[in-house]
């Protein structure tokens, strides 16, 4: 059976603006998802008011470079792109964490539940798989379980280190 969800290999050895260059072809998806996430933060001015401090004290230069690139191909500021990328991390404090990580002493297994509601099934419509590769970085390969039933669709993403 052919995989219906597009896959991309992200080369972490490339500069951030080159490793994510393929996103130029996903402008509609970027707009849809960022706008959806930012709409949920409407009225939460404290997030927008404090993002500069967060950027300067927590976020690495390389990650900020990635955020700047995504902002450059979208209709959003770098602060809006960063806040949207922190969506899950911010909301887990309000709704609880739907992720897990376990270690058997050699391998870390990380899983995240992606079954929350989005208007017009935006999350499902714009789901992509990414494999991360690089000489000096840890490699992660997504393993996905998909449970389809008449009333719900559940997508669980689990990342395993590549051997």
């Amino acid at each position: 059976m052919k995989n219906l969800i597009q896959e991309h290999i992200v080369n972490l050895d490339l500069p951030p603006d080159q490793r994510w260059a393929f996103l130029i072809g996903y402008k509609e998806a970027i707009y849809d998802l960022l706008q959806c996430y930012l709409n949920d933060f409407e009225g939460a001015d404290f997030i927008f008011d404090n993002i500069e401090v967060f950027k300067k004290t927590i976020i690495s230069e390389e990650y900020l470079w990635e955020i700047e690139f995504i902002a450059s191909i979208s209709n959003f500021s770098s602060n809006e792109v960063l806040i949207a990328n922190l969506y899950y991390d911010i909301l887990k404090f309000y709704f609880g964490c739907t992720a897990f990580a376990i270690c058997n002493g050699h391998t870390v297994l990380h899983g995240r539940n992606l079954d929350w509601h989005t208007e017009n099934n935006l999350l499902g419509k714009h789901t992509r798989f990414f494999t991360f590769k690089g000489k000096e970085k840890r490699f992660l390969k997504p393993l996905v379980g998909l449970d389809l039933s008449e009333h719900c669709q559940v997508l669980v993403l689990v990342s395993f280190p590549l051997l």
Side-chain angles (χ1 to χ4, degrees):
M1 185 168 119
K2 186 178 177 181
N3 188 355
L4 300 177
I5 300 177
Q6 292 181 322
E7 297 184 53
H8 296 281
I9 296 173
V10 179
N11 183 345
L12 298 175
D13 291 330
L14 294 174
D17 56 341
Q18 291 177 28
R19 76 177 67 138
W20 294 107
F22 68 88
L23 290 178
I24 291 170
Y26 293 106
K27 286 185 178 187
E28 178 187 352
I30 291 169
Y31 177 82
D32 288 349
L33 291 169
L34 292 179
Q35 190 62 59
C36 176
Y37 294 152
L38 292 170
N39 286 345
D40 284 349
F41 291 133
E42 196 170 296
D45 295 338
F46 68 95
I47 295 171
F48 294 88
D49 294 344
N50 293 299
I51 196 66
E52 284 297 325
V53 172
F54 186 77
K55 280 171 53 175
K56 291 176 183 171
T57 59
I58 305 292
I59 306 297
S60 72
E61 287 296 318
E62 185 173 11
Y63 188 63
L64 288 175
W65 189 359
E66 290 180 326
I67 295 296
E68 289 290 336
F69 172 73
I70 294 169
S72 76
I73 62 169
S74 74
N75 298 331
F76 298 93
S77 71
S78 60
N79 284 351
E80 289 171 322
V81 172
L82 178 58
I83 289 167
N85 273 271
L86 294 171
Y87 181 88
Y88 173 79
D89 297 299
I90 294 168
L91 290 184
K92 72 182 177 189
F93 294 112
Y94 298 99
F95 299 123
C97 182
T98 60
F100 68 89
I102 58 172
C103 180
N104 68 3
H106 304 288
T107 302
V108 174
L109 174 65
H110 173 259
R112 188 173 104 183
N113 186 354
L114 297 173
D115 65 346
W116 60 78
H117 172 76
T118 54
E119 294 297 322
N120 301 318
N121 190 31
L122 286 180
L123 191 58
K125 176 182 170 186
H126 297 306
T127 294
R128 304 292 181 268
F129 295 142
F130 298 92
T131 298
F132 297 89
K133 295 185 175 186
K135 292 178 192 167
E136 308 266 334
K137 313 287 186 201
R138 182 155 232 188
F139 309 142
L140 297 176
K141 174 78 175 168
L143 172 70
V144 176
L146 188 58
D147 173 24
L148 297 174
S149 66
E150 184 178 343
H151 299 290
C152 69
Q153 178 175 334
V154 178
L155 179 66
V156 178
L157 175 64
V158 181
S159 301
F160 291 97
L162 293 175
L163 301 176

